[in-house]
Amino acid sequence: MTHSVTQQLTLALSKGRIFEETLPLLQAAGITVNEDPETSRKLILGTNDPSVRVIIIRASDVPTYVQYGAADFGVAGKDVLLEHGGEGLYQPIDLNIAKCRMSVAAPADFDYLTAVRQGARLRIATKYLLTAREHFAAKGVHVDLIKLYGSMELAPLVGLSDAIVDLVSTGSTLRANNLVEVEHIMDISSRLVVNQAALKLKRERLQPILDAFERASQRISA
Ligand code: PRT
Ligand code: MG
């Protein structure tokens, strides 16, 4: 029997921090991307390996492309994976990249702890409905959640909400908008996600890359 043709692999990434922080991991697997998504308008990027290509999509769309097998594997934040639910995805590695935390933040003059203690009903604006709902339900805090798609920091400044649930890394966005972190919900980092069928059918091709990613991400976190 002749050997099967080289298996094609498609990797889903979002541009910005995930693309940039995945590059050293790809390098460790011997893969270099031919174009920079910040300057190229192409959505499919070639690599030095003709059997590997990278697709550039919105961060929150990465789990969907991988779930349906339009990409074999991808990199997505834990925040995004929690909202997606992770259906159809194998999540073998915490890559320890694009780290931040998910927090509750409120205007400096809003007494969040007292409001919570008194059982007030809080209005919370967020992109992370499921995570926020679970967090407040576990604490027994009554909330009205308002779904936003970005710039959550604005919501309490213009009276849309009392507080927000958002990602924080340096804290400078909160500071610039006179908001303070009042509760830490969880630490966030990005995970490798793999399509479950691809993991079986393309294991031979995928496994060395997964191994290289794992070793390189352990070096990053060390
Ligand atoms: O931007 P877009 O709407 O396309 O999608 P996205 O915001 O989900 O994508 P992107 O590329 O901005 O983020 C991709 C992933 O990076 C997220 O899913 C997180 O897992 C991770 N990550 C790490 C962050 C941050 N750090 C981060 N600081 N994602 C967003 N932020 C934002 C945060 O929402 C806030 O507005 O940066 C701002 C706060 O930053 P500091 O440094 O001022 O605290
Ligand atoms: Mg963003």
Side-chain angles (χ1 to χ4, degrees), residues 14-19 21 57-60 76-81 97-101 127-128 149-153 166-175 188-190:
S14 53
K15 62 181 184 183
R17 65 191 110 222
I18 289 196
F19 181 83
E21 297 188 37
I57 52 183
R58 287 292 291 263
S60 47
K78 185 181 176 184
D79 50 316
V80 164
L81 290 168
I97 61 169
K99 286 183 171 186
C100 57
R101 53 195 186 272
K127 188 163 141 182
Y128 308 101
Y149 292 88
S151 302
M152 270 74 82
E153 294 87 355
D166 195 10
L167 302 177
V168 183
S169 53
T170 62
S172 53
T173 307
L174 292 183
R175 274 191 298 281
I188 299 285
S189 57
S190 283

Side-chain angles (χ1 to χ4, degrees), residues 19 27 45 66 91 119 121 136 169 179 198 203 205:
F19 181 83
Q27 192 90 49
L45 308 179
V66 177
Q91 301 182 33
R121 193 167 186 93
F136 292 109
S169 53
L179 300 173
R203 181 133 222 168
R205 187 72 189 81

Side-chain angles (χ1 to χ4, degrees), residues 9-14 18 22 25 55 57-82 84-95 97 189-199 206 209-210 213:
L9 287 182
T10 301
L11 170 65
L13 297 176
S14 53
I18 289 196
T22 302
L25 304 176
I55 60 171
I57 52 183
R58 287 292 291 263
S60 47
D61 290 334
V62 167
T64 308
Y65 276 74
V66 177
Q67 172 187 6
Y68 287 97
D72 298 296
F73 60 145
V75 176
K78 185 181 176 184
D79 50 316
V80 164
L81 290 168
L82 287 172
H84 170 271
E87 196 194 327
L89 303 177
Y90 174 61
Q91 301 182 33
I93 312 171
D94 180 353
L95 298 171
I97 61 169
S189 57
S190 283
R191 316 289 160 112
L192 188 69
V193 292
V194 184
N195 174 270
Q196 279 173 352
L199 186 69
L206 270 169
I209 300 177
L210 305 193
F213 273 34

Side-chain angles (χ1 to χ4, degrees), residues 8 13 28 31 51 59 76 104 123 161 168 171 177 192-194 202 212:
Q8 292 286 326
L13 297 176
I31 299 164
S51 70
V104 184
R123 280 158 71 96
S161 71
V168 183
N177 292 291
L192 188 69
V193 292
V194 184
K202 302 185 178 181

